């Protein structure tokens, strides 16, 4: 609202005379959250009025801002009216923008609702740069959200329900419909240990679609085959040595800090730096091996467009510890939030 609208008198309007805006960007209202707000109304009353505008039918009003409060008031026993401000100079576009402004950032606004809201603004000829400025986001954030509208209807529903997280959803949105179903079917069955594994697999499918960075399909000469076999043997030997080093580190980790201080007296810092170098190298190797695993699986995959995306009854998603471990390159949910 502008300064003049902010000074409009608050009026009690019958709940029955108010209707929601059909273009309201938020479609999902958490019943538990509505009951919490209703409990607040019962305890301390309505602290903030809603905003309405005259509807097409005389004597009726349409909600501009505050549908959540209007719905919650219906849960308050004996409530027949709600406090509201009536604004007359609000057209459909302004009403829509005001509704989005109220809802962007709310925890119960789904990813798909936010994506659709931005896309609807584009329909009003708003550019991504202007949308980003309006809502305190970055341009990339707005574009990433709108990319989610490329998801198939059934997968978009899973995203709306919170069963697929933002970063994986974004990688899915870059895939063909058939490959979206391939990745989501595996995800819902619990085939991936972490969110990172899921996103990496989706990236690999995208690379397969574009034939970017995948394995060479050319026929190798006998000399090239011999060289490749030697490289594979050397790589396997390297992994064997890593496993032995890992066992040694396991033994080291069993010692207490005081024992380590005693054993490495005068050289603790030096030994710490050595192990830290190993840790960093291992982390980088893990990241690349995850991608290699995803690429290998994607290459061998036969796409079946008829695959269902419904989860099995006993499937389990990633644990909280696994989610905390997950690291993605771009654009992870924490990066989206940081960009906001």
């Amino acid at each position: 609202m502008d300064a003049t609208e902010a000074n409009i008198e608050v009026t009690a309007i019958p709940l029955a005379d108010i209707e929601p805006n059909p273009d309201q960007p938020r479609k999902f209202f958490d019943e538990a959250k509505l009951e919490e707000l209703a409990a607040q109304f019962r305890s301390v009353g309505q602290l903030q009025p809603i905003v309405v505008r005259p509807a097409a039918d005389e004597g009726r009003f349409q909600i501009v801002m505050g549908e959540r409060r209007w719905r919650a008031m219906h849960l308050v026993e004996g409530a027949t009216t709600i406090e509201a401000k009536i604004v007359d100079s609000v057209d459909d576009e302004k009403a829509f923008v005001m509704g989005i402004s109220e809802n962007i950032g709310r925890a119960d606004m789904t990813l798909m609702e936010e994506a659709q809201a931005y896309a609807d603004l584009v329909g009003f000829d708003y550019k991504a740069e202007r949308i980003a400025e309006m809502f305190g986001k970055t341009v990339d954030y707005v574009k990433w959200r709108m990319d989610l509208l490329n998801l198939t209807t059934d997968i978009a529903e899973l995203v709306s329900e919170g069963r697929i997280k933002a970063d994986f959803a974004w990688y899915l949105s870059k895939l063909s419909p058939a490959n979206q179903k391939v990745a989501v079917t595996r995800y819902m069955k619990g085939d991936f240990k972490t969110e990172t594994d899921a996103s990496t697999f989706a990236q690999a499918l995208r690379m397969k679609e574009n034939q970017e960075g995948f394995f060479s399909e050319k026929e190798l000469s006998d000399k090239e085959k011999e060289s490749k076999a030697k490289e594979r043997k050397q790589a396997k030997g390297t992994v064997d040595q890593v496993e032995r080093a890992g066992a040694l580190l396991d033994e080291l980790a069993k010692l207490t800090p005081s024992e380590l201080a005693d054993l490495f007296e005068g050289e603790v810092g030096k030994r710490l730096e050595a192990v830290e170098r190993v840790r960093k190298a291992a982390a980088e190797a893990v990241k690349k091996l995850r991608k290699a695993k995803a690429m290998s699986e994607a290459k061998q995959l036969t796409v079946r467009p008829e695959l269902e995306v419904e989860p099995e009854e006993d499937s389990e998603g990633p644990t909280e510890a696994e989610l905390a471990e997950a690291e993605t390159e771009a654009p992870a949910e924490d990066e989206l939030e940081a960009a906001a």
Side-chain angles (χ1 to χ4, degrees), residues 200 203-204 286-296 329:
T200 301
Q203 284 179 277
V286 166
K287 185 186 297 184
K288 291 183 177 180
L289 282 168
R290 277 177 170 165
K291 290 184 179 181
K293 178 175 179 289
M295 290 175 65
S296 179
E329 291 192 347

Side-chain angles (χ1 to χ4, degrees), residues 33-92:
K33 295 294 183 182
L34 288 177
E35 180 53 44
E36 287 181 12
L37 185 54
Q40 176 186 310
F41 288 166
R42 297 185 192 103
S43 175
V44 299
Q46 182 186 347
L47 301 179
Q48 183 180 7
I50 67 172
V51 179
V52 298
R53 63 176 176 167
D57 296 334
E58 187 175 353
R60 293 188 61 78
F61 301 90
Q62 186 181 84
I63 297 172
V64 175
M65 298 174 66
E67 182 174 341
R68 180 169 169 267
R69 280 164 276 162
W70 176 74
R71 288 175 176 269
M73 190 62 78
H74 280 80
L75 303 178
V76 178
E77 302 79 2
T80 58
T81 64
I82 187 169
E83 295 181 351
K85 292 184 177 184
I86 304 173
V87 292
D88 296 311
S89 57
V90 176
D91 59 18
D92 289 344

Side-chain angles (χ1 to χ4, degrees), residues 260-274:
L260 290 170
D262 181 56
L263 290 172
F264 296 132
E265 184 177 2
E267 295 185 342
V268 175
K270 180 180 178 181
R271 303 307 176 189
L272 174 60
E273 289 176 1

